[in-house]
Amino acid sequence: MSRQWLLILAVLALILLAVLCAFVIDGPRIESDLRARAEIAAADVLAVSPAQIVAAAAAGVDPITLTVDGRDATLQGRVVDAATRDAVVAAVRDVRGMRTVDDRLDVDAPDAADGIPA
């Protein structure tokens, strides 16, 4: 009887190890894939290329920063209006596999005197 329990425990340990390895190996790849697809979705809304978003972020002048941690995205930066913010958030949220989108985008408020964003 004890030999059967040992065999069951060994099989369970192997299953647990296989599941753990799947998450460790695929985790970074999944995150990278989600980031790339979210950048494309945001770029489509903003009418810029994903390469422009990446290059601007590297130069430190990007109005929008997209970070992905696991399956959770965070959007930070400035957009020209609420409609653009809503469209970018919706586009990133609609990326298949994305779990949550933390909207930290600021909307440029137009100057009351001339309607020009501050």
XYZ file of all heavy atoms in Angstrom:
855
model
N 0.824 -1.190 0.000
C 0.000 0.000 0.000
C 0.866 1.252 0.000
O 0.563 2.207 -0.674
C -0.919 -0.022 1.220
C -1.900 1.104 1.236
S -3.242 0.728 0.118
C -4.457 1.805 0.720
N 1.949 1.254 0.752
C 2.795 2.443 0.814
C 3.486 2.695 -0.529
O 3.773 3.838 -0.869
C 3.827 2.315 1.927
O 4.713 1.249 1.646
N 3.720 1.640 -1.276
C 4.339 1.803 -2.583
C 3.391 2.506 -3.546
O 3.817 3.320 -4.363
C 4.732 0.431 -3.118
C 5.654 0.499 -4.261
C 6.212 -0.858 -4.568
N 7.213 -0.704 -5.585
C 7.896 -1.663 -6.088
N 7.710 -2.892 -5.639
N 8.785 -1.447 -7.008
N 2.106 2.248 -3.443
C 1.112 2.917 -4.281
C 1.067 4.412 -3.946
O 0.980 5.245 -4.845
C -0.264 2.295 -4.085
C -0.404 0.931 -4.709
C -1.758 0.319 -4.426
O -2.410 0.656 -3.438
N -2.166 -0.601 -5.288
N 1.122 4.731 -2.672
C 1.100 6.140 -2.268
C 2.339 6.875 -2.768
O 2.273 8.035 -3.181
C 0.975 6.280 -0.752
C -0.433 6.083 -0.285
C -0.934 5.012 0.384
C -1.513 6.989 -0.491
N -2.270 5.178 0.615
C -2.656 6.404 0.084
C -1.646 8.214 -1.105
C -3.906 7.010 0.061
C -2.896 8.821 -1.124
C -4.001 8.217 -0.548
N 3.457 6.196 -2.730
C 4.688 6.794 -3.220
C 4.593 7.071 -4.719
O 5.004 8.130 -5.188
C 5.871 5.858 -2.912
C 7.248 6.389 -3.263
C 7.553 7.674 -2.507
C 8.304 5.341 -2.974
N 4.023 6.142 -5.458
C 3.828 6.310 -6.885
C 2.860 7.471 -7.168
O 3.121 8.306 -8.042
C 3.305 5.010 -7.510
C 3.094 5.038 -9.014
C 4.406 5.311 -9.745
C 2.480 3.742 -9.485
N 1.782 7.568 -6.424
C 0.805 8.657 -6.586
C 1.460 10.000 -6.287
O 1.278 10.968 -7.028
C -0.430 8.414 -5.695
C -1.227 7.218 -6.222
C -1.301 9.661 -5.630
C -2.353 6.775 -5.319
N 2.232 10.061 -5.207
C 2.918 11.303 -4.870
C 3.938 11.691 -5.939
O 4.088 12.882 -6.277
C 3.593 11.186 -3.509
C 2.657 11.210 -2.302
C 3.456 10.964 -1.030
C 1.910 12.521 -2.227
N 4.626 10.729 -6.493
C 5.601 11.011 -7.548
C 4.915 11.562 -8.796
O 5.390 12.521 -9.405
C 6.394 9.755 -7.884
N 3.797 10.972 -9.155
C 3.038 11.454 -10.327
C 2.522 12.860 -10.077
O 2.608 13.735 -10.946
C 1.888 10.475 -10.671
C 0.940 11.077 -11.684
C 2.456 9.154 -11.171
N 1.983 13.123 -8.898
C 1.500 14.465 -8.568
C 2.632 15.495 -8.590
O 2.457 16.617 -9.064
C 0.803 14.462 -7.212
C -0.560 13.767 -7.157
C -1.082 13.752 -5.733
C -1.540 14.449 -8.082
N 3.796 15.088 -8.097
C 4.950 15.993 -8.111
C 5.374 16.300 -9.540
O 5.696 17.454 -9.871
C 6.113 15.383 -7.330
N 5.340 15.317 -10.412
C 5.688 15.544 -11.816
C 4.675 16.464 -12.500
O 5.055 17.326 -13.291
C 5.791 14.216 -12.559
C 7.052 13.404 -12.277
C 6.983 12.046 -12.972
C 8.281 14.165 -12.733
N 3.411 16.275 -12.202
C 2.376 17.145 -12.776
C 2.575 18.581 -12.299
O 2.523 19.521 -13.084
C 0.969 16.626 -12.426
C 0.702 15.311 -13.165
C -0.097 17.662 -12.755
C -0.570 14.602 -12.731
N 2.822 18.753 -11.011
C 3.055 20.083 -10.462
C 4.283 20.729 -11.093
O 4.269 21.906 -11.449
C 3.217 20.001 -8.944
C 3.444 21.323 -8.224
C 2.246 22.233 -8.390
C 3.714 21.068 -6.756
N 5.331 19.965 -11.272
C 6.548 20.470 -11.892
C 6.291 20.876 -13.344
O 6.771 21.917 -13.796
C 7.651 19.416 -11.820
C 9.007 19.814 -12.387
C 9.590 20.978 -11.598
C 9.953 18.623 -12.367
N 5.518 20.095 -14.079
C 5.204 20.416 -15.475
C 4.398 21.709 -15.576
O 4.662 22.552 -16.435
C 4.436 19.262 -16.117
N 3.424 21.888 -14.698
C 2.620 23.114 -14.704
C 3.490 24.317 -14.357
O 3.408 25.365 -15.005
C 1.433 22.979 -13.725
C 0.732 24.308 -13.517
C 0.452 21.935 -14.237
N 4.329 24.180 -13.365
C 5.224 25.269 -12.970
C 6.173 25.639 -14.106
O 6.371 26.822 -14.398
C 6.015 24.871 -11.724
C 6.960 25.923 -11.166
C 6.172 27.137 -10.693
C 7.759 25.342 -10.020
N 6.729 24.664 -14.767
C 7.635 24.924 -15.894
C 6.907 25.626 -17.027
O 7.456 26.515 -17.675
C 8.258 23.632 -16.397
S 9.530 22.992 -15.310
N 5.670 25.252 -17.285
C 4.901 25.894 -18.353
C 4.734 27.379 -18.080
O 4.858 28.203 -18.983
C 3.544 25.215 -18.499
N 4.459 27.749 -16.846
C 4.301 29.159 -16.512
C 5.627 29.908 -16.548
O 5.699 31.038 -17.008
C 3.643 29.326 -15.140
C 2.173 29.109 -15.172
C 1.610 28.005 -14.564
C 1.330 29.996 -15.821
C 0.257 27.789 -14.590
C -0.034 29.795 -15.847
C -0.571 28.689 -15.240
N 6.678 29.293 -16.079
C 7.982 29.957 -16.047
C 8.518 30.146 -17.458
O 9.055 31.203 -17.801
C 8.981 29.154 -15.183
C 10.388 29.670 -15.339
C 8.545 29.189 -13.735
N 8.359 29.166 -18.301
C 8.886 29.234 -19.664
C 8.030 30.151 -20.535
O 8.545 30.968 -21.280
C 8.988 27.825 -20.273
C 10.076 27.033 -19.528
C 9.284 27.896 -21.754
C 10.126 25.578 -19.864
N 6.709 30.027 -20.477
C 5.828 30.798 -21.352
C 5.508 32.183 -20.820
O 5.077 33.040 -21.574
C 4.514 30.048 -21.589
C 4.679 28.929 -22.607
O 5.681 28.958 -23.340
O 3.797 28.061 -22.671
N 5.703 32.443 -19.537
C 5.338 33.735 -18.961
C 5.940 34.923 -19.685
O 5.217 35.804 -20.150
N 7.262 34.997 -19.817
C 7.858 36.144 -20.515
C 7.429 36.245 -21.976
O 7.257 37.334 -22.504
C 9.361 35.890 -20.396
C 9.505 35.006 -19.206
C 8.272 34.147 -19.197
N 7.270 35.113 -22.636
C 6.865 35.125 -24.040
C 5.442 35.661 -24.184
O 5.155 36.452 -25.085
C 6.969 33.720 -24.629
C 6.824 33.712 -26.148
C 6.888 32.330 -26.707
N 5.585 31.734 -26.460
C 5.359 30.448 -26.430
N 6.341 29.610 -26.573
N 4.154 29.978 -26.217
N 4.564 35.260 -23.300
C 3.185 35.738 -23.333
C 3.155 37.236 -23.069
O 2.468 37.991 -23.760
C 2.325 34.971 -22.308
C 2.153 33.523 -22.759
C 0.972 35.649 -22.117
C 1.540 32.619 -21.722
N 3.906 37.690 -22.076
C 3.952 39.117 -21.744
C 4.477 39.925 -22.920
O 3.934 40.979 -23.256
C 4.841 39.316 -20.521
C 4.881 40.732 -20.024
C 5.688 40.833 -18.746
O 5.320 40.178 -17.759
O 6.684 41.576 -18.756
N 5.520 39.444 -23.561
C 6.093 40.135 -24.715
C 5.092 40.202 -25.863
O 4.959 41.233 -26.528
C 7.364 39.408 -25.152
O 7.879 39.971 -26.318
N 4.389 39.118 -26.092
C 3.381 39.082 -27.153
C 2.243 40.052 -26.852
O 1.801 40.796 -27.740
C 2.835 37.661 -27.311
C 1.754 37.568 -28.361
O 2.021 37.959 -29.519
O 0.630 37.126 -28.027
N 1.768 40.071 -25.618
C 0.704 41.001 -25.247
C 1.152 42.448 -25.407
O 0.398 43.295 -25.894
C 0.246 40.757 -23.806
C -0.672 39.565 -23.589
C -0.901 39.348 -22.101
C -1.988 39.768 -24.301
N 2.390 42.741 -25.002
C 2.909 44.105 -25.131
C 2.944 44.520 -26.597
O 2.521 45.617 -26.953
C 4.305 44.226 -24.525
C 4.862 45.651 -24.600
C 6.254 45.797 -24.000
N 6.313 45.320 -22.619
C 6.921 44.215 -22.227
N 7.550 43.460 -23.099
N 6.920 43.853 -20.966
N 3.431 43.656 -27.459
C 3.522 43.979 -28.888
C 2.131 44.210 -29.486
O 1.919 45.185 -30.227
C 4.245 42.862 -29.635
N 1.181 43.334 -29.165
C -0.168 43.501 -29.713
C -0.865 44.728 -29.144
O -1.601 45.426 -29.849
C -0.995 42.239 -29.480
C -0.491 41.081 -30.346
C -1.371 39.869 -30.323
N -1.307 39.214 -29.027
C -2.379 38.808 -28.340
N -3.579 38.996 -28.805
N -2.233 38.213 -27.179
N -0.610 45.059 -27.877
C -1.203 46.258 -27.274
C -0.598 47.516 -27.875
O -1.309 48.506 -28.098
C -1.001 46.240 -25.759
N 0.710 47.494 -28.174
C 1.346 48.647 -28.817
C 0.760 48.884 -30.198
O 0.512 50.024 -30.593
C 2.861 48.447 -28.915
C 3.577 48.613 -27.600
C 5.050 48.250 -27.665
O 5.503 47.713 -28.701
O 5.750 48.510 -26.671
N 0.503 47.815 -30.934
C -0.105 47.943 -32.259
C -1.512 48.506 -32.141
O -1.902 49.404 -32.897
C -0.104 46.578 -32.983
C 1.328 46.188 -33.348
C -0.990 46.621 -34.222
C 1.479 44.769 -33.828
N -2.286 48.014 -31.176
C -3.653 48.507 -30.982
C -3.665 49.985 -30.622
O -4.454 50.770 -31.165
C -4.360 47.683 -29.908
N -2.780 50.388 -29.714
C -2.712 51.796 -29.317
C -2.233 52.656 -30.475
O -2.742 53.762 -30.695
C -1.787 51.964 -28.111
N -1.271 52.160 -31.238
C -0.751 52.913 -32.377
C -1.826 53.125 -33.434
O -1.896 54.192 -34.054
C 0.451 52.197 -32.974
N -2.676 52.126 -33.653
C -3.768 52.269 -34.612
C -4.701 53.405 -34.212
O -5.145 54.184 -35.049
C -4.551 50.970 -34.746
C -3.792 49.905 -35.516
O -2.779 50.246 -36.171
O -4.203 48.729 -35.458
N -5.007 53.491 -32.933
C -5.895 54.552 -32.446
C -5.222 55.910 -32.593
O -5.845 56.892 -32.991
C -6.289 54.306 -30.971
C -7.006 55.504 -30.384
C -7.153 53.059 -30.870
N -3.941 55.979 -32.276
C -3.217 57.249 -32.295
C -2.700 57.608 -33.689
O -2.121 58.668 -33.877
C -2.045 57.201 -31.316
C -2.443 57.003 -29.856
C -1.220 56.732 -29.011
C -3.198 58.216 -29.347
N -2.891 56.729 -34.669
C -2.455 56.934 -36.054
C -0.935 57.134 -36.143
O -0.453 58.014 -36.832
C -3.204 58.094 -36.695
N -0.186 56.316 -35.411
C 1.271 56.299 -35.501
C 1.705 54.844 -35.613
O 0.933 53.930 -35.330
C 1.953 56.947 -34.274
C 1.621 58.414 -34.186
C 1.587 56.238 -32.996
N 2.937 54.631 -36.004
C 3.420 53.265 -36.119
C 3.911 52.772 -34.768
O 4.364 53.573 -33.946
C 4.556 53.176 -37.145
O 5.733 53.734 -36.615
N 3.846 51.461 -34.524
C 4.387 50.922 -33.274
C 5.866 51.273 -33.098
O 6.325 51.514 -31.984
C 4.187 49.411 -33.404
C 3.053 49.262 -34.357
C 3.188 50.427 -35.322
N 6.617 51.333 -34.209
C 8.035 51.688 -34.121
C 8.201 53.114 -33.610
O 9.138 53.404 -32.859
C 8.696 51.530 -35.487
N 7.292 54.022 -33.999
C 7.364 55.396 -33.512
C 7.102 55.449 -32.012
O 7.729 56.223 -31.297
C 6.356 56.282 -34.247
C 6.747 56.591 -35.671
C 5.642 57.311 -36.410
O 4.490 56.884 -36.402
N 6.000 58.405 -37.065
N 6.173 54.634 -31.524
C 5.881 54.592 -30.090
C 7.108 54.098 -29.329
O 7.511 54.687 -28.327
C 4.659 53.696 -29.793
C 3.380 54.368 -30.302
C 4.538 53.397 -28.308
C 2.143 53.537 -30.123
N 7.718 53.024 -29.811
C 8.894 52.460 -29.144
C 10.057 53.446 -29.191
O 10.737 53.675 -28.182
C 9.278 51.107 -29.783
C 10.603 50.607 -29.246
C 8.189 50.074 -29.539
N 10.287 54.076 -30.354
C 11.395 55.025 -30.490
C 11.181 56.248 -29.604
O 12.108 56.733 -28.951
C 11.550 55.445 -31.945
N 9.947 56.744 -29.551
C 9.663 57.914 -28.723
C 9.829 57.568 -27.243
O 10.344 58.365 -26.471
C 8.258 58.432 -29.004
N 9.392 56.380 -26.859
C 9.536 55.963 -25.462
C 11.008 55.853 -25.093
O 11.421 56.248 -24.002
C 8.821 54.636 -25.227
N 11.819 55.329 -26.010
C 13.254 55.205 -25.751
C 13.909 56.578 -25.628
O 14.854 56.757 -24.864
C 13.924 54.399 -26.864
N 13.374 57.555 -26.366
C 13.924 58.906 -26.314
C 13.368 59.703 -25.129
O 13.797 60.804 -24.860
C 13.618 59.644 -27.610
N 12.383 59.146 -24.442
C 11.812 59.809 -23.278
C 10.814 60.903 -23.610
O 10.500 61.728 -22.767
N 10.288 60.908 -24.837
C 9.351 61.955 -25.232
C 7.960 61.404 -25.542
O 7.140 62.099 -26.107
C 9.877 62.739 -26.460
C 11.125 63.488 -26.104
C 10.113 61.814 -27.642
N 7.727 60.172 -25.197
C 6.449 59.537 -25.516
C 5.333 60.093 -24.649
O 5.432 60.082 -23.428
C 6.563 58.028 -25.300
C 5.368 57.279 -25.821
O 4.636 57.839 -26.642
O 5.174 56.126 -25.411
N 4.243 60.583 -25.272
C 3.123 61.065 -24.471
C 2.367 59.929 -23.785
O 1.680 60.137 -22.810
C 2.239 61.779 -25.486
C 2.571 61.155 -26.793
C 4.013 60.730 -26.698
N 2.503 58.709 -24.311
C 1.832 57.556 -23.718
C 2.870 56.462 -23.479
O 3.642 56.128 -24.364
C 0.713 57.012 -24.623
C -0.408 58.028 -24.738
C 0.184 55.695 -24.089
C -1.544 57.576 -25.609
N 2.856 55.921 -22.270
C 3.730 54.807 -21.930
C 2.856 53.598 -21.641
O 1.917 53.680 -20.856
C 4.581 55.131 -20.690
O 5.331 56.309 -20.957
C 5.529 54.002 -20.369
N 3.170 52.487 -22.291
C 2.445 51.242 -22.093
C 3.388 50.258 -21.441
O 4.461 49.978 -21.966
C 1.961 50.688 -23.435
C 1.417 49.269 -23.419
C 0.077 49.229 -22.691
C 1.265 48.744 -24.829
N 3.010 49.764 -20.263
C 3.786 48.708 -19.617
C 2.874 47.510 -19.422
O 1.671 47.663 -19.191
C 4.357 49.157 -18.253
O 3.291 49.615 -17.428
C 5.372 50.271 -18.430
N 3.455 46.334 -19.539
C 2.695 45.101 -19.368
C 3.410 44.262 -18.332
O 4.609 44.014 -18.430
C 2.559 44.330 -20.696
C 1.825 43.019 -20.479
C 1.847 45.173 -21.743
N 2.663 43.858 -17.311
C 3.175 42.991 -16.265
C 2.293 41.760 -16.246
O 1.157 41.816 -15.772
C 3.152 43.713 -14.921
C 3.726 42.869 -13.801
O 4.450 41.891 -14.088
O 3.450 43.187 -12.624
N 2.819 40.665 -16.789
C 1.990 39.468 -16.920
C 0.929 39.716 -17.976
O 1.231 39.953 -19.131
N -0.323 39.703 -17.554
C -1.436 39.975 -18.467
C -2.127 41.291 -18.124
O -3.241 41.544 -18.581
C -2.434 38.818 -18.401
C -1.848 37.516 -18.945
C -2.790 36.330 -18.839
N -4.141 36.655 -19.181
C -5.208 36.235 -18.507
N -5.056 35.470 -17.454
N -6.418 36.556 -18.874
N -1.462 42.137 -17.334
C -2.035 43.410 -16.900
C -1.270 44.564 -17.539
O -0.045 44.623 -17.458
C -1.966 43.532 -15.378
C -2.657 42.367 -14.683
O -3.650 41.861 -15.223
O -2.189 41.965 -13.609
N -2.001 45.489 -18.158
C -1.377 46.636 -18.815
C -1.615 47.904 -18.007
O -2.639 48.046 -17.334
C -1.947 46.817 -20.218
N -0.662 48.830 -18.093
C -0.802 50.149 -17.489
C -0.505 51.181 -18.563
O 0.522 51.102 -19.242
C 0.167 50.333 -16.310
O -0.104 49.324 -15.329
C 0.016 51.702 -15.682
N -1.418 52.121 -18.726
C -1.240 53.225 -19.662
C -0.999 54.494 -18.866
O -1.782 54.830 -17.978
C -2.490 53.396 -20.531
C -2.748 52.299 -21.559
C -4.164 52.387 -22.088
C -1.748 52.405 -22.691
N 0.084 55.200 -19.193
C 0.399 56.462 -18.529
C 0.747 57.489 -19.592
O 1.230 57.138 -20.668
C 1.584 56.308 -17.579
C 1.312 55.412 -16.408
C 2.529 55.244 -15.529
O 3.596 54.924 -15.997
N 2.339 55.477 -14.234
N 0.522 58.745 -19.281
C 0.898 59.809 -20.191
C -0.247 60.775 -20.423
O -1.189 60.855 -19.628
N -0.152 61.507 -21.547
C -1.136 62.538 -21.859
C -1.752 62.272 -23.225
O -1.064 61.865 -24.148
C -0.483 63.912 -21.854
C 0.133 64.282 -20.520
C 0.659 65.692 -20.487
N -0.326 66.717 -20.189
C -1.049 66.814 -19.091
N -0.948 65.883 -18.170
N -1.874 67.801 -18.885
N -3.034 62.542 -23.314
C -3.745 62.487 -24.589
C -4.488 63.803 -24.775
O -4.693 64.559 -23.828
C -4.731 61.298 -24.656
C -3.983 59.984 -24.681
C -5.706 61.320 -23.502
N -4.906 64.063 -26.022
C -5.494 65.365 -26.324
C -6.928 65.514 -25.829
O -7.366 66.618 -25.534
C -5.441 65.680 -27.837
C -4.003 65.835 -28.276
C -6.129 64.611 -28.649
N -7.666 64.409 -25.767
C -9.056 64.529 -25.313
C -9.542 63.205 -24.720
O -8.882 62.172 -24.828
C -9.978 64.986 -26.448
C -9.922 64.089 -27.670
O -9.629 62.892 -27.531
O -10.182 64.591 -28.780
N -10.706 63.277 -24.093
C -11.272 62.099 -23.425
C -11.626 61.003 -24.425
O -11.508 59.818 -24.120
C -12.495 62.489 -22.599
N -12.050 61.386 -25.607
C -12.407 60.391 -26.628
C -11.184 59.570 -27.034
O -11.274 58.353 -27.198
C -13.021 61.077 -27.842
N -10.046 60.240 -27.158
C -8.810 59.525 -27.493
C -8.414 58.602 -26.360
O -8.034 57.453 -26.590
C -7.670 60.523 -27.791
O -8.068 61.370 -28.869
C -6.388 59.810 -28.147
N -8.521 59.077 -25.123
C -8.209 58.238 -23.965
C -9.087 56.999 -23.962
O -8.606 55.876 -23.821
C -8.385 58.999 -22.661
C -8.059 58.107 -21.443
C -8.479 58.689 -20.130
N -9.928 58.804 -20.114
C -10.604 59.734 -19.453
N -9.976 60.638 -18.743
N -11.906 59.770 -19.488
N -10.388 57.195 -24.139
C -11.319 56.060 -24.124
C -11.010 55.075 -25.243
O -11.082 53.855 -25.050
C -12.761 56.556 -24.230
C -13.192 57.365 -23.024
O -12.519 57.295 -21.970
O -14.214 58.089 -23.134
N -10.653 55.601 -26.422
C -10.356 54.731 -27.559
C -9.076 53.927 -27.332
O -9.024 52.733 -27.645
C -10.237 55.566 -28.836
N -8.047 54.553 -26.775
C -6.788 53.847 -26.503
C -6.998 52.774 -25.439
O -6.560 51.637 -25.597
C -5.675 54.838 -26.072
C -4.457 54.098 -25.553
C -5.298 55.749 -27.226
N -7.696 53.127 -24.370
C -7.956 52.161 -23.298
C -8.769 50.983 -23.836
O -8.462 49.820 -23.556
C -8.664 52.837 -22.104
C -9.131 51.803 -21.088
C -7.734 53.839 -21.440
N -9.789 51.273 -24.636
C -10.622 50.199 -25.201
C -9.811 49.312 -26.140
O -9.961 48.084 -26.117
C -11.815 50.801 -25.935
N -8.946 49.918 -26.944
C -8.140 49.130 -27.881
C -7.198 48.186 -27.141
O -7.059 47.023 -27.513
C -7.343 50.067 -28.792
N -6.563 48.683 -26.083
C -5.650 47.830 -25.314
C -6.437 46.770 -24.548
O -6.038 45.611 -24.476
C -4.764 48.683 -24.370
C -3.942 47.808 -23.446
C -3.861 49.595 -25.186
N -7.577 47.154 -24.003
C -8.413 46.203 -23.260
C -8.916 45.082 -24.179
O -9.090 43.943 -23.747
C -9.597 46.941 -22.627
C -10.436 46.051 -21.722
C -11.519 46.839 -21.022
N -10.911 47.662 -19.990
C -11.169 48.952 -19.801
N -12.030 49.577 -20.577
N -10.570 49.621 -18.840
N -9.129 45.392 -25.459
C -9.652 44.408 -26.407
C -8.589 43.443 -26.924
O -8.917 42.513 -27.668
C -10.314 45.110 -27.593
C -11.634 45.756 -27.212
O -12.187 45.415 -26.140
O -12.129 46.602 -27.990
N -7.337 43.646 -26.550
C -6.279 42.722 -26.964
C -6.557 41.375 -26.301
O -6.703 41.292 -25.079
C -4.883 43.262 -26.575
C -3.815 42.198 -26.780
C -4.563 44.513 -27.368
N -6.647 40.358 -27.135
C -6.971 39.034 -26.613
C -5.884 38.575 -25.644
O -4.698 38.604 -25.954
C -7.090 38.041 -27.756
C -7.545 36.696 -27.294
C -7.881 35.814 -28.441
N -8.394 34.563 -27.919
C -8.207 33.410 -28.492
N -7.546 33.336 -29.616
N -8.692 32.327 -27.950
N -6.300 38.166 -24.456
C -5.371 37.706 -23.430
C -5.081 38.746 -22.367
O -4.548 38.425 -21.313
N -5.437 40.005 -22.641
C -5.210 41.065 -21.665
C -6.242 40.918 -20.550
O -7.433 40.787 -20.810
C -5.343 42.439 -22.334
C -4.814 43.575 -21.521
S -3.032 43.529 -21.254
C -2.412 43.875 -22.892
N -5.772 40.927 -19.302
C -6.677 40.754 -18.172
C -7.223 42.090 -17.687
O -8.430 42.267 -17.560
C -5.965 40.025 -17.026
C -6.860 39.770 -15.837
C -6.211 38.925 -14.786
N -4.835 39.308 -14.540
C -3.941 38.533 -13.959
N -4.272 37.339 -13.570
N -2.711 38.953 -13.755
N -6.339 43.040 -17.408
C -6.786 44.346 -16.916
C -5.990 45.457 -17.594
O -4.875 45.245 -18.061
C -6.597 44.494 -15.389
O -5.198 44.421 -15.086
C -7.355 43.442 -14.621
N -6.585 46.639 -17.621
C -5.901 47.834 -18.115
C -6.065 48.914 -17.055
O -7.176 49.306 -16.726
C -6.475 48.309 -19.461
C -5.795 49.598 -19.903
C -6.328 47.235 -20.521
N -4.936 49.355 -16.507
C -4.938 50.423 -15.511
C -4.784 51.742 -16.267
O -3.718 52.046 -16.804
C -3.791 50.210 -14.530
C -3.766 51.236 -13.416
O -4.706 52.048 -13.316
O -2.795 51.230 -12.638
N -5.849 52.518 -16.321
C -5.867 53.779 -17.066
C -5.344 54.901 -16.184
O -6.038 55.371 -15.290
C -7.289 54.076 -17.542
C -7.417 55.427 -18.207
O -6.393 56.036 -18.549
O -8.562 55.875 -18.389
N -4.110 55.320 -16.453
C -3.515 56.446 -15.732
C -3.238 57.607 -16.697
O -2.346 58.415 -16.470
C -2.220 56.021 -15.050
C -2.427 54.958 -13.990
C -1.129 54.614 -13.312
N -1.330 53.504 -12.391
C -0.359 52.957 -11.684
N 0.872 53.409 -11.796
N -0.607 51.953 -10.883
N -4.002 57.653 -17.785
C -3.810 58.694 -18.787
C -4.428 59.999 -18.325
O -5.519 60.020 -17.751
C -4.447 58.276 -20.120
C -3.815 57.074 -20.816
C -4.652 56.658 -22.011
C -2.394 57.409 -21.244
N -3.728 61.097 -18.588
C -4.235 62.437 -18.304
C -4.719 63.049 -19.606
O -4.110 62.854 -20.660
C -3.138 63.326 -17.715
C -2.679 62.860 -16.345
O -3.540 62.404 -15.566
O -1.470 62.936 -16.068
N -5.805 63.807 -19.511
C -6.348 64.489 -20.676
C -5.909 65.945 -20.622
O -6.074 66.609 -19.598
C -7.889 64.390 -20.702
C -8.461 65.185 -21.860
C -8.318 62.938 -20.763
N -5.324 66.422 -21.734
C -4.955 67.837 -21.817
C -6.232 68.655 -21.800
O -7.088 68.503 -22.661
C -4.183 68.135 -23.103
C -2.751 67.661 -23.033
O -2.229 67.529 -21.911
O -2.157 67.432 -24.093
N -6.371 69.510 -20.800
C -7.558 70.362 -20.695
C -7.370 71.589 -21.578
O -6.335 72.240 -21.526
C -7.784 70.788 -19.251
N -8.361 71.901 -22.422
C -8.219 73.089 -23.256
C -8.238 74.353 -22.401
O -8.924 74.419 -21.389
C -9.421 73.027 -24.192
C -10.387 72.111 -23.549
C -9.597 71.198 -22.652
N -7.458 75.319 -22.819
C -7.429 76.626 -22.157
C -8.777 77.289 -22.383
O -9.256 77.373 -23.508
C -6.299 77.465 -22.746
C -6.087 78.747 -21.959
O -6.729 78.943 -20.908
O -5.269 79.563 -22.419
N -9.420 77.734 -21.315
C -10.757 78.295 -21.424
C -10.799 79.534 -22.321
O -11.802 79.787 -22.966
C -11.279 78.654 -20.033
N -9.720 80.286 -22.395
C -9.726 81.535 -23.163
C -9.714 81.268 -24.670
O -10.428 81.930 -25.418
C -8.525 82.391 -22.774
N -8.892 80.331 -25.149
C -8.773 80.171 -26.588
C -9.041 78.756 -27.093
O -8.960 78.515 -28.282
C -7.392 80.627 -27.048
C -6.276 79.910 -26.314
O -6.547 78.911 -25.640
O -5.121 80.357 -26.431
N -9.380 77.820 -26.224
C -9.686 76.453 -26.658
C -8.455 75.670 -27.072
O -8.573 74.588 -27.604
N -7.270 76.190 -26.843
C -6.038 75.498 -27.187
C -5.564 74.711 -25.981
O -5.550 75.253 -24.873
C -4.947 76.500 -27.645
C -5.420 77.252 -28.886
C -3.629 75.782 -27.894
C -4.493 78.350 -29.306
N -5.194 73.432 -26.185
C -4.717 72.649 -25.046
C -3.531 73.309 -24.366
O -2.673 73.879 -25.023
C -4.326 71.306 -25.664
C -5.063 71.245 -26.950
C -5.219 72.673 -27.413
N -3.507 73.202 -23.049
C -2.417 73.818 -22.272
C -1.139 73.055 -22.419
O -1.094 71.912 -22.647
C -2.820 73.896 -20.812
